[in-house]
Amino acid sequence: MAIFENILLALESLKTNKLRSILTMLGIIIGIGSVISISTVGSSLTGYVSDSMTSLGASSINVTLTQKSSDDEENSDKRIKMFMKEDPSDSDLITDDMIEQYIAAFPDDVKYVEKTCSAGTGSYDDDNSVNVTGVEAEYEQAEELKTLYGRFIKNTDGERKIAVVADTFAENVLNLSPKDAIGNDFTITINDVPYTFYIAGVYEYESETASTDEDSTKSETTDMYIPIETARLISGSGTGYQSITVKTSVETDTLTFIETTNSFFEAFYTNNDTWTVETTSLESVISTLTDMISTISVAIEAIAAISLLVGGIGVMNIMLVSITERTKEIGTRKALGATDGSIRLQFVTEAMVICLVGGIIGIGGGIGLGLGMSKVLGYSAMPNVSSILIAVGFSLLIGLIFGYAPANKAAKLNPIDALRYE
């Protein structure tokens, strides 16, 4: 009952001195609001980064041919041989046979192995060019391309000179509608050699830049897809691959499977003095980035929390002023039998109520500010319930710590001296 009465007295004191109470709570409001808003923006940024990188293929494993390195002095001859060789030979490349064995060994984990062959950059004229890439039929689904008209590359196309181009390339460069472009031919120059391709399909191009300017979109270099055998013929490359991308199944733990994949392909290069494979995954990068963002958010929250100390000092200051103003009230209560403990409890409660009210206002403001900033990022997020509870608890702790000294001073006042105080 005594605590409830003290809370009512504290609220009455806040209403009596509204402006002073608001100014006292300002440090608490700013501190709590900053921590909550930073926590919300941090969650939003983490989600944004995670979703953005997931769309790039977080469940993919990249297997890339790389030169071996060794610090073993006994293998100095091998080391010299390594650095003398800059490009892998056909026998060093990842072969279709290796890939088939890999798929057969892990049928439940491997959804698809994406094989590509770059043919280079094709120039249409002085102002327009395309990135020419040889692909297989599965590439369309793996990269989530949307074919608007015609068809995508088939594995049976062999060395045919057909191409799948972007809708923007058809409209802005060839001056054809995406639908009418099907069946038309055009000529591009790759490595100073002109090649004529027939358009088999048109896909929907998604700009990689944030700019919505139409002229900027027109000038972007798009991708053109051709049969992988045609790309090999143009580039003069062998039948193997310097890199492949493994699309894993939804149920597969990519971070664990990446080690399995690395061990499998490394076995083919045990006796190769120069080359081996290296496996990487965006999922591990995402994990590192989210941990980094969380660490930075916590550090910024800690800096923002410093303002709570300033707010606590403000509470202590105003409580000392309040005790000075109410010296006669304290003397009267003690003369009527109030104990030191009850006086101390009254003023500690008042300090905690000031901080609690300030904390609640700060939480509301912090959530509003955090949601607004998250909306700018385009990824909504709410602060954790634990963060809100911690903020409330911390505001009460500030009230207890910084309110105790003034309350203790009030409890130790001599009732006779207090009654004489003018």
Side-chain angles (χ1 to χ4, degrees), residues 171-185:
E171 292 173 342
N172 303 329
V173 179
L174 302 180
N175 295 317
L176 296 169
S177 70
K179 185 176 182 180
D180 293 337
I182 304 300
N184 280 273
D185 65 293

Side-chain angles (χ1 to χ4, degrees), residues 221-254:
T221 300
T222 60
D223 295 315
M224 183 180 97
Y225 303 107
I226 62 176
I228 195 167
E229 295 298 332
T230 304
R232 283 174 176 161
L233 182 66
I234 293 172
S235 63
S237 60
T239 56
Y241 313 92
Q242 289 197 39
S243 67
I244 59 173
T245 301
V246 179
K247 299 289 183 179
T248 58
S249 303
V250 177
E251 301 81 10
T252 302
D253 182 356
T254 306

Side-chain angles (χ1 to χ4, degrees), residues 68-333:
K68 287 183 176 180
S69 61
S70 174
D71 294 325
D72 187 355
E73 293 184 3
E74 294 180 0
N75 294 326
S76 59
D77 292 339
K78 293 181 180 180
R79 211 164 47 244
I80 291 171
K81 186 178 178 182
M82 279 187 277
F83 291 107
M84 287 175 62
K85 205 168 188 178
E86 295 182 357
D87 298 314
S89 63
D90 289 351
S91 61
D92 295 320
L93 299 175
I94 300 170
T95 64
D96 286 313
D97 182 56
M98 293 181 192
I99 296 171
E100 288 172 6
Q101 290 184 50
Y102 173 68
I103 295 173
F106 310 103
D108 297 331
D109 296 308
V110 180
K111 182 178 180 181
Y112 165 66
V113 175
E114 183 180 303
K115 297 175 285 186
T116 61
C117 177
S118 175
T121 301
S123 300
Y124 181 78
D125 53 34
D126 292 338
D127 299 320
N128 298 284
S129 59
V130 289
N131 296 319
V132 184
T133 306
V135 298
E136 295 184 320
E138 292 84 356
Y139 187 90
E140 179 184 21
Q141 181 181 0
E143 296 299 324
E144 298 181 353
L145 293 178
K146 183 179 180 181
T147 303
L148 300 175
Y149 301 100
R151 66 172 178 85
F152 197 71
I153 301 299
K154 294 181 179 179
N155 292 340
T156 56
D157 285 332
E159 296 179 357
R160 295 177 65 188
K161 297 294 192 300
I162 61 171
V164 177
V165 300
D167 52 354
T168 54
F169 179 80
E171 292 173 342
N172 303 329
V173 179
L174 302 180
N175 295 317
L176 296 169
S177 70
K179 185 176 182 180
D180 293 337
I182 304 300
N184 280 273
D185 65 293
F186 66 97
T187 302
I188 59 173
T189 302
I190 306 174
N191 297 327
D192 298 325
V193 179
Y195 294 92
T196 299
F197 291 91
Y198 291 87
I199 300 175
V202 177
Y203 71 92
E204 183 178 24
Y205 175 70
E206 294 184 5
S207 177
E208 296 180 358
T209 62
S211 173
T212 57
D213 184 73
E214 186 175 346
D215 292 334
S216 175
T217 304
K218 285 182 179 180
S219 63
E220 283 190 49
T221 300
T222 60
D223 295 315
M224 183 180 97
Y225 303 107
I226 62 176
I228 195 167
E229 295 298 332
T230 304
R232 283 174 176 161
L233 182 66
I234 293 172
S235 63
S237 60
T239 56
Y241 313 92
Q242 289 197 39
S243 67
I244 59 173
T245 301
V246 179
K247 299 289 183 179
T248 58
S249 303
V250 177
E251 301 81 10
T252 302
D253 182 356
T254 306
L255 291 177
T256 303
F257 191 58
I258 190 173
E259 298 297 332
T260 305
T261 300
N262 192 74
S263 299
F264 181 88
F265 282 100
E266 270 190 342
F268 290 100
Y269 291 89
T270 303
N271 298 322
N272 191 313
D273 297 335
T274 310
W275 299 93
T276 186
V277 294
E278 183 178 49
T279 53
T280 57
S281 172
L282 274 179
E283 190 164 333
S284 59
V285 177
I286 291 174
S287 178
T288 302
L289 279 176
T290 52
D291 289 344
M292 189 184 301
I293 293 171
S294 298
T295 302
I296 294 172
S297 296
V298 170
I300 297 175
E301 288 172 19
I303 294 171
I306 293 174
S307 61
L308 288 173
L309 297 178
V310 178
I313 293 170
V315 171
M316 179 185 290
N317 182 56
I318 207 66
M319 290 304 299
L320 289 171
V321 172
S322 179
I323 288 166
T324 302
E325 292 176 344
R326 296 157 65 183
T327 301
K328 278 196 172 183
E329 176 194 327
I330 296 168
T332 301
R333 287 195 63 195

